[in-house]
Amino acid sequence: MGLAVNLDLTVVWAFLIAFAVFAYVVLDGFDLGLGMLFAIAPEERDRDVMMNSVAPVWDGNETWLVLGGGGLFAAFPLAYALVMPALYAPIIAMLLALIFRGVAFEFRWRTVRWRGVWDLAFIAGSSMASFAQGVALGALLQGIEVDMATRSYAGGWFDWLTPFSVVTGVAVMAGYCLLGATWLVMKTEGDLQDRMRRIAWLAGLATLAFIGLVSAWTPFLQDGYYNRWFTGWGIGLAVLVAGAVLLVAWRMFHSLNVHRHEYRPFLQAIALFALCFVGLGICMWPYVVPVEVTIWDAAAPEKSQMFMLVGALVLVPLILAYTAYAYWTFRGKIDPEAGYH
C-alpha cells in the first residue's frame, strides 16, 4: 500500500513540476520574446509602449521558474544532482541573463543619457536567457551520461554543446518571438500593432519550421525515442500530434492576416506551445533524465513528498489567483500617454 501511495505521489509531483515549467515557458516566454523584439523597434515611443505592456507582470512570471526548480530539487533530488552538473553553463548563463535584463528593465526608466545602453542590455539579456533555455532543453533531450554505480554525472564540461542543442536554442528564441509578437498584437494599436502582425507571421513560420526540424531529429537521438514514436500505437500518436500542430498553426496564421483578430493569435500561439510540450512529455515519459533515470528512481521519500505536497496545495492556488488577478487588472490596450512607470 505504501509503495502504491509513493508511486502516486511521484506522478503527482512530476505533473506539478511539468505544469510549473510550462507556465514559466508561456508567461515568461512572451516577456523574453518582447525583449528580443526591442532590436527591431528602434523608436523610443514604441519601446516604451512595449515595455509598459509587461511592466506590471514580468517579475511575477518568473515565480514559476522558482517553483519548477525548487520542486525538482525537493521532489526529485537525484535528478537535480545529475542535471545541474551537466547543465551548469547554460543554466548559469540563463540566470545571469535574467538578472541582467531585470536590472536593465528598471534602470532604463531612470536615465536618459544611458537609456540606449540599457536597451541593449535588455535585448542581450532576453536573447541569452532564451537561447540558454533552449540549449538546456536540447542537452537534456539528447541524454546525460550517468554513472549508475555512483549515481553521479559522468560526462564532461561541454557535453551540453552540440549541433542539436544549438538548434533547440535558436528554436526557443523563435518561439518566444512568436509569443512576444502575438502578445503585442493583443496589447497595442496602430502602426506598432501592424508591424507586430507581420513579425508574428514570420516568427510563426520560423517556429513551425523548427518544430518540424527538432521533431524529425529527436527520434534519432535515443533508441527509446524512436521506438516511442515509430512503433505500434506511437505512429498514430505521432500523426495525431503533428496534425494538431498544423491545425493550430493554420488557425493562428488565419487569425493574424485574414480575420485580423487581436486576442486569438496569442492564445493559439500558447496552444502551439502546449502541443509541443505534450509531445515532449510523451517523448520523455517516464524518464526525468533521459534515458537513464525514471521519475521513480529519482523520487524523494514518500513522507517528504507528502509534506511538500501540502505546501504546494496551498501555494500553487495562491500563485494562480494572484497571477490571474494581475493579468485581469492590467488587461486591455496600453495607453502610450499613460505608462506604468
Side-chain angles (χ1 to χ4, degrees), residues 28-186:
D28 209 34
F30 74 77
D31 186 358
L32 292 169
L34 181 148
M36 288 184 283
L37 293 176
F38 249 50
I40 52 177
E43 297 84 359
E44 192 68 29
R45 178 185 174 88
D46 288 345
R47 288 186 172 185
D48 289 345
V49 171
M50 291 167 68
M51 190 163 276
N52 279 324
S53 74
V54 296
V57 297
W58 75 271
D59 46 357
N61 292 340
E62 295 179 3
T63 303
W64 298 103
L65 178 63
V66 177
L67 179 61
L72 181 67
F73 174 76
F76 302 101
L78 177 59
Y80 190 90
L82 295 173
V83 170
M84 284 300 294
L87 304 179
Y88 269 141
I91 288 177
I92 290 174
M94 176 193 74
L95 294 176
L96 290 176
L98 289 175
I99 293 170
F100 201 47
R101 73 184 292 274
V103 172
F105 191 102
E106 299 297 336
F107 274 44
R108 77 175 299 274
W109 297 102
R110 299 293 182 260
T111 181
V112 175
R113 180 180 179 184
W114 297 100
R115 179 169 290 187
V117 174
W118 290 115
D119 283 349
L120 288 176
F122 188 64
I123 296 167
S126 301
S127 302
M128 177 56 70
S130 304
F131 181 71
Q133 289 175 20
V135 167
L137 171 63
L140 182 63
L141 266 178
Q142 70 191 11
I144 294 173
E145 190 173 346
V146 177
D147 184 349
M148 292 306 296
T150 59
R151 294 161 68 88
S152 61
Y153 175 59
W157 281 103
F158 294 100
D159 284 6
W160 54 271
L161 185 58
T162 65
F164 179 75
S165 67
V166 171
V167 167
T168 55
V170 178
V172 169
M173 293 177 72
Y176 283 178
C177 284
L178 171 63
L179 286 174
T182 53
W183 167 262
L184 290 170
V185 168
M186 181 173 67

Side-chain angles (χ1 to χ4, degrees), residues 207-228:
T207 301
L208 200 60
F210 276 117
I211 290 173
L213 176 59
V214 173
S215 298
W217 196 337
T218 300
F220 299 97
L221 296 174
Q222 305 272 1
D223 290 339
Y225 296 160
Y226 185 90
N227 294 333
R228 179 66 56 88

